[in-house]
Amino acid sequence: MKLKEHLYGKSQVRVTRLDRTKTPHRVLVASVDIALEGAFEPSYTDGDNRSVVATDTMKNTVYVLARRYGDRTAEQLAMRLAEHFIDEYEHVEAATVDVEEELWTPVRVGDRRYDDAFSRRGPENAVATASASPEGTLVTGGLVGIQVMKTSKSGFSNFHEDEYRTLADTDDRLFATTVDAQWRYHDDAAEFDADDFYRTRSKVRGALLETFAEHESLSVQQTLFEMGTAALERCGVISEISLVMPNQHHLLVDLAVFGLDNDNEVFVGTNEPFGHIEATVSR
């Protein structure tokens, strides 16, 4: 037998990074996953651990670099960590770091903003992945868990007809989904500061939501493509965007047994089964 492939790492390292020098304060609350590839074969085949960077060491590295460099976005932290493992250990051939960041925003009441009090925009999170090797670093950013719904301008008709089809055509359906978006930055992402990443995140989110709201949807697939296209048009610093948009069905309830009609007013939301739609849009 032979060892075909391998990697190992530390998952769900929780870290909170606070920067009180900014107004409002900046808070990074994140979970970090680290995976290393390289010359670790002897630890698998012979129990020889001399090359193994302990996963506890990886955990400590997250906290040390967060203190030493003060990175404030998921993308910055992911890049910093991935490149550290490549630079620090010659036998590490590739490092992949995934960061999921909770989105906390300053509390606003009326016209007043509190610079040291925050509320979470859940369940939506920001995500980032940095994949580093001696050849360079690939960086992606994203937003996951964007829950949206539209109550008009959505239909689905003229789809394939065969003996198994029971779904009727409709030009008036409730369209609900939870959008997961991940985009790839151009190679100059290493030169970005925190505000560059914040602006990109805001622009992409705005493009996705505006297009979803305004688009006359003939299918989830068509709307997904239009949303991805709008994000690329609005954000010149990204080269492609991948979107996952499950079709979260809200089914019309048959009230005829109660002597009532139901003109697209009362629905039952279902979790499963659901339609799964995803695609990547690139320049």
Side-chain angles (χ1 to χ4, degrees), residues 172 252 261-267:
D172 185 14
L252 196 66
D261 62 6
N262 189 6
D263 187 18
N264 276 350
E265 293 182 11
V266 180
F267 302 82

Side-chain angles (χ1 to χ4, degrees), residues 13-34:
V13 180
R14 300 290 302 176
V15 59
T16 299
R17 178 65 167 84
L18 173 60
D19 184 356
R20 291 190 177 94
T21 67
K22 304 295 181 182
T23 303
H25 295 167
R26 296 285 178 83
V27 180
L28 173 69
V29 182
S31 177
V32 180
D33 293 348
I34 300 166

Side-chain angles (χ1 to χ4, degrees), residues 161-166:
E161 182 79 57
D162 61 29
E163 61 181 307
Y164 304 109
R165 171 180 163 171
T166 60

Side-chain angles (χ1 to χ4, degrees), residues 98-126:
D98 296 301
V99 178
E100 184 160 3
E101 175 190 351
E102 297 176 5
L103 297 178
W104 291 82
T105 57
V107 171
R108 291 180 180 271
V109 179
D111 295 331
R112 183 176 181 183
R113 183 187 72 187
Y114 296 84
D115 294 335
D116 57 356
F118 298 83
S119 62
R120 185 178 174 186
R121 196 173 75 197
E124 184 179 336
N125 285 339

